[in-house]
Amino acid sequence: MDKYYVESPGQVINAIESINHNQRKWLMVVRFNGQEFNDLQIRNVLAFYKVNNYITDKSNISEVNGFLGFFVRFAYLILRFGFKNIYVGSYKSKYLTIFRKMRCPMILLDDGVATLVYHHRLSENVKRNYVLDYYTCLELEPLCVKHRVMSNKFDCIKSLSPSNRLQSGAIFYGAKYIEVGIFTKEQYCAYLDKIFDILGGVDVCYVPHRGEDSSNFKAYEKIGFQVRRTALPSELDLVTMKTKPVLVAGFFTASLLTAKIIYPDLEVISFKFKDKDKDKDKELELVYSYYEKFCKVICLDEALL
């Protein structure tokens, strides 16, 4: 029995890819965190897969809120069905702290860019660290003999993509940098203004991260972007759009990587900036060096000079 714990829309998608690939019996615990767009997108993703018959039995999924609901259900699944084949959506989830301390064997569903950073940190001292196996779309080498890296090719999503669609426009995937204090609104808009010019300034759609504050969207529209808040995560949005974009762009969002895997012919641009925190800047360099393998990377700090 495969057991899944997920807490974001993207993690649900990766769980369904794993379920589709493994073709085994499964159960899933889905935690809603109370954030409007996170919870809305989770429900939309679950509904999408139900409509497309990838989820045929509602009893396979337990919806929980808060730690107690999660712990009771997740602990029950482990005690009832054993410690094998436990898939989790985030290696750093506070809800999994007790299971990490117990060194419970778990498989990390791809956590986007965070997986790259996690992999790099573990590689520096594998023997002392608690290592999760991976189910990932990233091309990563096992850290040791016992470490398993299973490949996610997004075959499920690819099968849902229409074969004939017109191509037009560009998409820029936004980030919640203002909301988490990385940039001021003025700094972020200065970068967006330059990005808009680089992308050609015609028919560029800004797709916000689900954590972005909608009060800032008017400023982005003044720059020239068409702002479109999506009901689905980028991967499902791409395959359900009426037209297929010619180009996708963003900072170092995992949406760029998954878009390229789903549609190898897409042009992809990743925009780079320097972080004042030297440790974080080193991690950014790690991410961008990986992104250079599949897309064009443009340093905005140099472009703004």
Side-chain angles (χ1 to χ4, degrees), residues 171-240:
I171 291 176
F172 180 84
Y173 293 112
K176 55 179 182 179
Y177 292 159
I178 297 174
E179 291 71 17
V180 298
I182 293 175
F183 295 133
T184 64
K185 182 177 177 178
E186 291 71 24
Q187 289 170 326
Y188 190 65
C189 286
Y191 277 133
L192 289 184
D193 191 51
K194 187 63 179 180
I195 288 167
F196 187 76
D197 289 340
I198 293 171
L199 295 181
V202 179
D203 194 19
V204 183
C205 182
Y206 183 99
V207 175
H209 184 278
R210 62 184 180 277
E212 285 190 70
D213 187 341
S214 59
S215 66
N216 295 321
F217 295 169
K218 285 186 179 180
Y220 309 159
E221 289 173 343
K222 285 183 179 179
I223 293 170
F225 290 98
Q226 302 171 36
V227 178
R228 179 173 64 89
R229 179 153 250 166
T230 62
L232 293 168
S234 63
E235 295 83 3
L236 296 184
D237 184 53
L238 270 180
V239 299
T240 56

Side-chain angles (χ1 to χ4, degrees), residues 16-283:
I16 296 297
E17 291 292 334
S18 171
I19 290 165
N20 185 60
H21 178 264
N22 292 343
Q23 294 293 306
R24 295 192 292 255
K25 291 182 178 181
W26 59 276
L27 292 168
M28 186 188 301
V29 178
V30 181
R31 183 177 69 84
F32 294 88
N33 65 12
Q35 295 177 8
E36 180 184 0
F37 287 102
N38 179 78
D39 291 356
L40 176 63
Q41 282 199 353
I42 287 177
R43 294 200 181 279
N44 288 340
V45 170
L46 292 173
F48 178 89
Y49 284 117
K50 287 173 184 175
V51 167
N52 287 281
N53 296 316
Y54 283 96
I55 298 174
T56 56
D57 189 347
K58 290 183 180 180
S59 64
N60 283 16
I61 298 174
S62 297
E63 298 182 1
V64 299
N65 297 280
F67 178 75
L68 182 60
F70 154 75
F71 184 80
V72 170
R73 188 58 187 164
F74 195 62
Y76 168 78
L77 291 184
I78 293 174
L79 292 172
R80 174 69 176 81
F81 299 106
F83 285 84
K84 289 184 65 177
N85 301 328
I86 301 171
Y87 293 80
V88 298
S90 172
Y91 72 91
K92 58 185 177 181
S93 171
K94 63 181 181 181
Y95 284 77
L96 294 170
T97 301
I98 188 170
F99 298 97
R100 286 196 299 270
K101 288 183 177 180
M102 293 168 56
R103 291 188 170 256
C104 180
M106 295 186 287
I107 302 164
L108 176 63
L109 294 167
D110 198 358
D111 200 19
V113 170
T115 302
L116 277 176
V117 177
Y118 173 73
H119 184 78
H120 176 70
R121 290 175 181 172
L122 288 179
S123 67
E124 295 178 335
N125 198 336
V126 177
K127 292 182 180 180
R128 295 185 60 184
N129 282 307
Y130 162 59
V131 180
L132 276 68
D133 292 331
Y134 305 155
Y135 178 72
T136 178
C137 65
L138 299 166
E139 294 180 0
L140 300 174
E141 293 296 323
L143 293 166
C144 58
V145 175
K146 294 182 179 181
H147 187 217
R148 294 183 299 161
V149 178
M150 293 155 277
S151 182
N152 179 6
K153 301 293 186 183
F154 286 103
D155 291 330
C156 179
I157 287 180
K158 288 177 182 177
S159 71
L160 296 169
S161 178
S163 56
N164 296 311
R165 277 191 301 172
L166 294 175
Q167 282 190 285
S168 65
I171 291 176
F172 180 84
Y173 293 112
K176 55 179 182 179
Y177 292 159
I178 297 174
E179 291 71 17
V180 298
I182 293 175
F183 295 133
T184 64
K185 182 177 177 178
E186 291 71 24
Q187 289 170 326
Y188 190 65
C189 286
Y191 277 133
L192 289 184
D193 191 51
K194 187 63 179 180
I195 288 167
F196 187 76
D197 289 340
I198 293 171
L199 295 181
V202 179
D203 194 19
V204 183
C205 182
Y206 183 99
V207 175
H209 184 278
R210 62 184 180 277
E212 285 190 70
D213 187 341
S214 59
S215 66
N216 295 321
F217 295 169
K218 285 186 179 180
Y220 309 159
E221 289 173 343
K222 285 183 179 179
I223 293 170
F225 290 98
Q226 302 171 36
V227 178
R228 179 173 64 89
R229 179 153 250 166
T230 62
L232 293 168
S234 63
E235 295 83 3
L236 296 184
D237 184 53
L238 270 180
V239 299
T240 56
M241 292 172 62
K242 290 182 179 179
T243 59
K244 177 183 166 185
V246 176
L247 177 150
V248 295
F251 291 101
F252 56 91
T253 172
S255 296
L256 303 182
L257 174 61
T258 55
K260 189 66 174 178
I261 293 172
I262 297 167
Y263 293 121
D265 61 328
L266 272 180
E267 182 181 354
V268 181
I269 298 176
S270 176
F271 290 101
K272 178 180 178 181
F273 59 88
K274 295 287 185 180
D275 197 295
K276 294 178 181 178
D277 186 319
K278 290 185 178 180
D279 290 333
K280 288 183 179 179
D281 197 50
K282 287 179 181 177
E283 291 183 348

